[in-house]
């Protein structure tokens, strides 16, 4: 969930397309030796949550800043996933194109993956995280951390007011995926609740934490409605992660979300750590039977 300022300071739009060629190979066996190995082609799109910010060492340069510990990297290690798989996500990505933005939007990621042959009729699985950057979610966080509760409530309400446009743009992005990969199951993730109002003290008061959590739930509802749109619903699955993260907020005893109080708005803050990304991968495996998606010829 990056600020627009973060996106502006990354140059070169072309650098944002560097993560499209991730692939896993396997050694071919003689035809009579064994049945074909199941193979799920996975293509991932979206923002920093899919790029893996906060989960490990960076594997791509700015602006995309993918890491080696994100949920996509974990899924790519599964025996059933491989083939023509790729992670096209970029930190800071919004849903639709903005002329002044150096970071490829989700729509641009989809177009680039299609042009590169990564997203196609052979793709079995697509994952998406998107939405918070479109509403500049870090702005209400800062307001709620530094200003009175009334100002926090107003900031969260402004987020709610912007969500119909987010829903429409997400439907367009998912429809673009559907056109390019008509056989794919599309997993659309929600976001975890960042705070435990009963946890250890942090920048936000417990009341402000509740307001921000409520805003996250409203955002998740918007994402779920987009996934259930008649234009994409047949093969789209909304995956909620709030239950998986219960007890693991950033101010809990066992946090699955990064937060450094000494640098409250560092890039990795408010993003899942390695354990959080394991929860994302597990939530997908719990919602989708990967073996049933696998191509066996």
């Amino acid at each position: 969930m990056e600020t627009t300022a973060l996106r502006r300071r990354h140059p070169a739009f072309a650098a944002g397309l560097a993560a499209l060629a991730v692939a896993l190979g396997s050694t071919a066996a003689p035809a009579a030796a064994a049945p074909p190995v199941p193979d799920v082609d996975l293509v991932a799109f979206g923002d920093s949550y899919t790029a893996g910010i906060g989960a490990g060492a960076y594997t791509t340069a700015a602006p995309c800043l993918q890491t080696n510990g994100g949920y996509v990297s974990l899924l790519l290690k599964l025996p059933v996933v491989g083939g023509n798989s790729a992670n096209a996500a970029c930190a800071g990505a919004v849903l639709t194109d903005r002329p002044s933005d150096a970071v490829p939007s989700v729509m641009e990621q989809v177009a680039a993956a299609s042009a590169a042959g990564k997203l196609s009729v052979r793709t079995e699985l697509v994952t998406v995280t998107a939405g918070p950057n479109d509403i500049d979610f870090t702005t209400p966080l800062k307001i709620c951390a530094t200003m009175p509760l009334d100002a926090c409530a107003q900031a969260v309400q402004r987020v709610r007011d912007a969500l119909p446009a987010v829903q429409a743009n997400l439907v367009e992005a998912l429809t673009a995926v559907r056109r390019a990969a008509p056989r794919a199951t599309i997993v659309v993730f929600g976001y975890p609740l960042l705070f435990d109002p009963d946890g250890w003290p942090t920048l936000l008061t417990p009341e402000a934490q509740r307001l921000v959590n409520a805003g996250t739930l409203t955002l998740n509802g918007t994402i779920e409605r987009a996934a259930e749109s008649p234009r994409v619903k047949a093969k789209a699955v909304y995956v909620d992660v709030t239950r998986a993260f219960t007890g693991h907020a950033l101010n809990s005893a066992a946090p699955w979300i990064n937060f450094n109080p000494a640098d409250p708005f560092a890039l990795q803050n408010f993003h899942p750590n390695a354990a959080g990304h394991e929860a994302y991968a597990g939530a997908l495996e719990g919602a989708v039977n990967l073996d049933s998606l696998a191509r066996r010829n």
Side-chain angles (χ1 to χ4, degrees), residues 223-244:
I223 294 169
E224 182 175 15
R225 286 189 293 275
E228 293 177 347
S229 165
R231 295 167 62 182
V232 294
K233 182 179 180 180
K235 296 281 282 184
V237 179
Y238 171 74
V239 175
D240 180 80
V241 296
T242 55
R243 181 173 297 180

Side-chain angles (χ1 to χ4, degrees), residues 137 192-197 208-218:
F137 202 79
L193 301 183
L194 297 177
F195 299 101
D196 176 3
Q209 292 175 40
R210 292 186 182 94
L211 284 173
V212 171
N213 283 350
T216 300
L217 291 174
T218 306

Side-chain angles (χ1 to χ4, degrees), residues 1 12 14 28 61 66 95 100 106 116 121 123 141 205 285 290:
M1 290 185 250
Q66 294 179 7
L95 282 160
S100 61
V106 174
V121 293
T123 304
L141 280 176
T205 66
E285 291 186 85
L290 295 179

Side-chain angles (χ1 to χ4, degrees), residues 8-286:
R8 285 196 298 268
R9 71 170 179 259
H10 294 321
F13 167 80
L17 304 179
L20 287 176
V22 178
L24 297 178
S26 59
T27 302
V37 176
D39 186 10
V40 173
D41 287 356
L42 162 64
V43 186
F45 301 107
D47 57 20
S48 54
Y49 270 54
T50 293
I53 296 293
Y58 292 120
T59 58
T60 65
C64 287
L65 295 176
Q66 294 179 7
T67 75
N68 61 6
Y71 79 83
V72 178
S73 296
L74 298 176
L75 293 172
L76 289 172
K77 294 176 182 177
L78 297 175
V80 74
V81 178
N84 199 33
S85 296
N87 187 355
C90 271
V94 295
L95 282 160
T96 58
D97 310 347
R98 291 177 178 173
S100 61
D101 207 341
V103 175
S105 68
V106 174
M107 289 292 283
E108 289 167 330
Q109 294 169 22
V110 171
S114 299
K118 291 294 182 180
L119 184 69
S120 72
V121 293
R122 290 179 65 83
T123 304
E124 285 85 23
L125 179 63
V126 172
T127 70
V128 180
T129 59
N133 292 318
D134 297 75
I135 52 176
D136 192 14
F137 202 79
T138 53
T139 294
L141 280 176
K142 290 179 179 178
I143 291 172
C144 290
T146 59
M147 299 182 69
L149 192 62
D150 286 350
C152 176
Q154 292 169 12
V156 172
Q157 184 57 50
R158 285 192 291 272
V159 166
R160 291 192 174 100
D161 294 341
L163 288 177
V166 172
Q167 181 174 332
N169 289 337
L170 181 53
V171 169
E172 288 300 319
L174 297 177
T175 301
V177 172
R178 170 63 57 242
R179 286 194 298 266
R183 294 179 56 242
T185 294
I186 307 173
V187 171
V188 189
F189 283 110
Y191 293 84
L193 301 183
L194 297 177
F195 299 101
D196 176 3
D198 297 320
W200 51 264
T202 185
L203 291 177
L204 279 65
T205 66
E207 293 80 8
Q209 292 175 40
R210 292 186 182 94
L211 284 173
V212 171
N213 283 350
T216 300
L217 291 174
T218 306
L219 171 63
N220 284 345
T222 298
I223 294 169
E224 182 175 15
R225 286 189 293 275
E228 293 177 347
S229 165
R231 295 167 62 182
V232 294
K233 182 179 180 180
K235 296 281 282 184
V237 179
Y238 171 74
V239 175
D240 180 80
V241 296
T242 55
R243 181 173 297 180
F245 276 77
T246 298
H248 301 288
L250 65 82
N251 59 330
S252 67
W256 288 356
I257 299 171
N258 289 290
F259 184 68
N260 178 7
D263 189 4
F265 289 94
L267 176 60
Q268 70 272 14
N269 286 351
F270 311 113
H271 292 82
N273 57 25
H277 277 275
E278 289 177 7
Y280 262 85
L284 184 145
E285 291 186 85

